[in-house]
Amino acid sequence: GVLHDKPDAKYRLNEERLVGLKETQRKLMDTCSSYVKPGGVFVYATCSILSEENAEQVESFLRDHQDFELSPLPETIPESFREQAGPFGLQLLPGADGMDGFFIARMVRKTDA
């Protein structure tokens, strides 16, 4: 998502490194989410444009943590962006959205779980 600022990053990313990043992200989500109280908000955000690090991570997280559910993005995010949100979060792209690549998903821990 930030390759224009760090063009060398594309030469360091390979399939093996991506697998490691995904595993680290999964562990971070598992650990951080354990501190969210019922009714509390959990935000997952990356500066990546890869679905493996973004929507697929959120989909997997929600499948494994059924006490969480996706929640609408807050009104502090412009409506034009909120309208672009997919089923597992909002993906912004450098060429299409006039900014760095970015992903954000907002989840809430259910109160009745």
Side-chain angles (χ1 to χ4, degrees):
V2 294
L3 287 180
H4 72 280
D5 288 333
K6 300 176 184 182
D8 61 309
K10 64 183 168 189
Y11 300 112
R12 290 181 285 156
L13 184 63
N14 57 37
E15 189 65 33
E16 182 179 321
R17 184 160 162 82
L18 180 58
V19 168
L21 284 171
K22 288 171 30 181
E23 181 62 18
T24 298
Q25 290 164 335
R26 185 192 62 75
K27 288 178 182 177
L28 283 168
M29 291 177 78
D30 288 344
T31 300
C32 292
S33 67
S34 69
Y35 294 98
V36 178
K37 65 183 180 180
V41 175
F42 178 53
V43 175
Y44 176 70
T46 74
C47 60
S48 173
I49 61 171
L50 301 176
S51 62
E52 297 95 332
E53 292 183 90
N54 298 330
E56 290 177 27
Q57 283 282 34
V58 172
E59 180 179 21
S60 177
F61 175 83
L62 292 171
R63 185 174 47 248
D64 295 342
H65 297 83
Q66 295 190 7
D67 54 331
F68 281 86
E69 61 188 354
L70 203 63
S71 177
L73 295 172
E75 291 186 12
T76 53
I77 293 178
E79 184 177 357
S80 60
F81 290 146
R82 285 184 282 130
E83 290 173 348
Q84 295 179 50
F88 297 105
L90 170 63
Q91 177 70 68
L92 299 175
L93 300 171
D97 298 306
M99 63 179 60
D100 290 340
F102 188 78
F103 176 84
I104 185 168
R106 183 178 192 263
M107 296 164 275
V108 173
R109 177 169 257 155
K110 299 174 185 175
T111 56
D112 59 354

